[in-house]
Amino acid sequence: MSTPLTERLSIDALLLQAPMAGAQDARLALAVCHAGGIGSLPGAMLAPEALAQQLQILSTGTERPWNVNFFCHTPPTPDPTREAAWRQALSPFYTEAGLDITAVPAGAGRVPFSHAIADIVEPFRPPIVSFHFGLPAPDLLARVKAWGSLVLSSATTVDEARWLEAQGVSAVIAQGVEAGGHRGMFLSDDITTQVGTFALLPQIVAAVQVPVIAAGGIADATGVRAALALGAAGVQVGTAYLCCPESTVSALHRAALQSDAARHTALTTLFTGRPARGIVNRVMRELGPLNPAAPAFPLATAAIAPLRAHWEQQGCGDFSPLWSGQNASACRAEPAADVTRSLLRGFNPL
């Protein structure tokens, strides 16, 4: 399937593996590249030294195009009142676990793309750089474009897609509400604006002139064909790769993805402060998945992390972010190359 993007990247089909921070490294990205897709490296949670190391592995491991992804959130101002309410909400769980909530330090955990990060990335001149939560400041965006990198970013509404096009992105990723992990929403925090992939995709295709990549709920070749039929220039797939041997998710997470529990997911702010889709577990049920006490992204992470660590040591994922899209039906323990080749069949005529 030839498009301006595939021609520029010298590839036959635009199958983008979703960058999944905390669930993968360059090993998964390389496996996808070697099988004919575009592998992605999530850079949002990597320390500078680790980022440089992973970029070295990925850039020297393939001659095919690859992607590196970063967050573009605005770091929040800590709110002591909200933090106190959050710790109060978590206090009974700390008591149950025998942990001291007063010993938990505050911390951000995730930093947005910056010139310091760009200094690390620039020598590698990635073929593609993608962003979540909008785009970096104009001077940073211009710097990335000067490397010759294609720039992608997620849109969860038509307004976001139009805004991204106006900033000069190479393509828009239409992220439907089915997608696992963090919502890419950045013009509004109103959850009611979020719609499904196959409702969002044709509206964005009609609203912008740049290529549109469909994301959310696509797990097999049939889903790929459906997205292409609605005007997508390519697809982005994440959840289907989570149980691959090349992913770094825990045994608890893998078991949940392959269980009946994966049929019930919800958007939650409990683990980071931003809406993200994961498998419903105890803390989501008892606090409510969108509890207003959760501090702004990424400040919510610090206080819930000790609970996660404690219960994971007991073999329990009740306080873990079990990220998953609404369609985990293809999430099996198969090599990433096999998953990629299966998805690529969706680009071929029936």
Side-chain angles (χ1 to χ4, degrees):
M1 179 179 172
S2 179
T3 70
L5 275 180
T6 59
E7 291 175 6
R8 180 167 172 183
L9 293 168
S10 299
I11 57 176
D12 295 326
L14 207 170
L15 169 62
L16 184 65
Q17 166 246 313
M20 298 175 287
Q24 61 147 131
D25 55 22
R27 185 181 174 216
L28 176 62
L30 281 174
V32 173
C33 288
H34 293 160
I38 299 174
S40 297
L41 176 69
M45 292 173 61
L46 295 177
E49 186 174 313
L51 175 60
Q53 180 188 54
Q54 290 294 303
L55 286 168
Q56 179 69 23
I57 293 170
L58 184 51
S59 64
T60 58
T62 181
E63 295 182 355
R64 290 183 54 83
W66 49 273
N67 169 49
V68 61
N69 174 265
F70 297 100
F71 290 165
C72 290
H73 61 287
T74 300
T77 301
D79 181 341
T81 301
R82 193 169 177 183
E83 180 67 27
W86 180 226
R87 294 191 178 218
Q88 182 177 4
L90 295 177
S91 181
F93 303 122
Y94 268 79
T95 300
E96 177 186 348
L99 300 174
D100 181 9
I101 197 167
T102 64
V104 178
R110 296 165 174 82
V111 296
F113 190 65
S114 65
H115 279 293
I117 296 173
D119 289 342
I120 298 169
V121 179
E122 184 167 359
F124 300 96
R125 297 189 175 270
I128 304 170
V129 179
S130 66
F131 296 103
H132 217 46
F133 315 139
L135 289 168
D139 59 329
L140 266 172
L141 184 60
R143 184 174 175 184
V144 172
K145 290 180 178 180
W147 303 338
S149 303
L150 294 178
V151 174
L152 314 180
S153 187
S154 300
T156 67
T157 64
V158 171
D159 286 344
E160 288 178 348
R162 287 176 171 149
W163 185 91
L164 292 173
E165 181 182 42
Q167 311 311 308
V169 297
S170 308
V172 168
I173 299 169
Q175 189 196 34
V177 76
E178 302 97 325
H182 285 95
R183 305 299 303 144
M185 54 199 304
F186 60 92
L187 289 184
S188 169
D189 58 5
D190 183 356
I191 290 292
T192 66
T193 65
Q194 305 296 283
V195 298
T197 302
F198 293 131
L200 178 66
L201 174 60
Q203 294 182 69
I204 290 183
V205 168
V208 301
Q209 299 300 310
V210 295
V212 181
I213 298 167
I218 301 168
D220 54 25
T222 302
V224 173
R225 291 190 185 100
L228 299 180
L230 290 174
V235 299
Q236 177 175 276
V237 177
T239 301
Y241 285 104
L242 283 175
C243 289
C244 295
E246 296 91 347
S247 91
T248 61
V249 298
S250 67
L252 282 170
H253 196 165
R254 290 174 191 271
L257 286 162
Q258 295 178 296
S259 73
D260 289 344
R263 294 202 295 268
H264 187 192
T265 66
L267 294 177
T268 181
T269 54
L270 299 183
F271 299 106
T272 68
R274 263 187 180 265
R277 182 171 297 283
I279 297 170
V280 174
N281 56 11
R282 177 188 170 191
V283 71
M284 292 166 68
R285 287 191 295 268
E286 295 191 12
L287 290 184
L290 299 173
N291 193 304
F297 179 89
L299 300 179
T301 304
I304 205 164
L307 291 171
R308 172 185 180 178
H310 172 82
W311 288 110
E312 286 186 353
Q313 288 175 0
Q314 318 304 314
C316 175
D318 277 343
F319 292 82
S320 303
L322 304 173
W323 303 138
S324 173
Q326 286 184 326
N327 184 6
S329 61
C331 191
R332 292 183 284 272
E334 298 177 350
D338 290 349
V339 174
T340 301
R341 285 190 285 264
S342 177
L343 289 163
L344 284 171
R345 294 189 189 105
F347 290 88
N348 298 328
L350 286 173

